[in-house]
Amino acid sequence: MTDTHDATWNAYYDRKRNERLQEADAVWRRLAAAGVSEDTVLVIDFTHFGADRTHAEALAQQLSEHYATSLEPGPDGYWLVKGTTRPYGVSLTEDQHRDWVDFMCDAARPHGCVFSTWTVDVHPHGPRVSSEGVTETG
């Protein structure tokens, strides 16, 4: 990569990471308002995207150590790495949720991918909270 490309990628990645962390705070506020605590069982589904299939496959492989993952074509020639904690649930504190989002961002970066969205379902019949549209980002 060129220095200009690296700088552009790093600025884009940093912006997206900051957006995801803002969304993490907003998602947790909604979960807390629904009564979620560190003892609540949650199921998390997530999506990353990347322009290069080989890099997206490598990310999917890395994440498959702890999550069920799949790779599928997305819009505009991008590749989607989708993952889930299903069939298992997880329990998280607010800080652990934020750290998980931070980890997902950092896991994607060396693969040229971006952590895009996630949803949290309160198991078994609770509300579903999505990261999409929870904050106003620029």
Side-chain angles (χ1 to χ4, degrees), residues 20-39:
R20 296 300 87 86
L21 292 172
Q22 289 175 9
E23 291 164 355
D25 294 339
V27 165
W28 192 263
R29 282 192 299 272
R30 289 189 181 182
L31 290 169
V36 168
S37 73
E38 64 187 41
D39 298 320

Side-chain angles (χ1 to χ4, degrees), residues 33-80:
V36 168
S37 73
E38 64 187 41
D39 298 320
T40 306
V41 177
L42 307 170
V43 177
I44 304 174
D45 301 311
F46 57 87
T47 304
H48 292 78
F49 70 88
D52 182 277
R53 180 182 180 139
T54 302
H55 292 275
E57 284 175 340
L59 175 61
Q61 180 64 34
Q62 176 186 343
L63 294 174
S64 72
E65 294 178 22
H66 298 285
Y67 305 97
T69 61
S70 64
L71 180 70
E72 53 190 71
D76 301 321
Y78 285 98
W79 289 93
L80 303 179

Side-chain angles (χ1 to χ4, degrees), residues 77-125:
Y78 285 98
W79 289 93
L80 303 179
V81 176
K82 294 190 174 189
T84 184
T85 62
R86 297 174 197 274
Y88 306 104
V90 296
S91 296
L92 301 170
T93 65
E94 179 178 3
D95 288 341
Q96 289 170 330
H97 173 252
R98 195 170 207 284
D99 289 347
W100 178 83
V101 170
D102 199 28
F103 165 77
M104 285 294 183
C105 291
D106 288 345
R109 186 177 196 159
H111 298 288
C113 295
V114 175
F115 180 44
S116 180
T117 61
W118 73 102
T119 57
V120 181
D121 288 309
V122 178
H123 184 74
H125 304 292

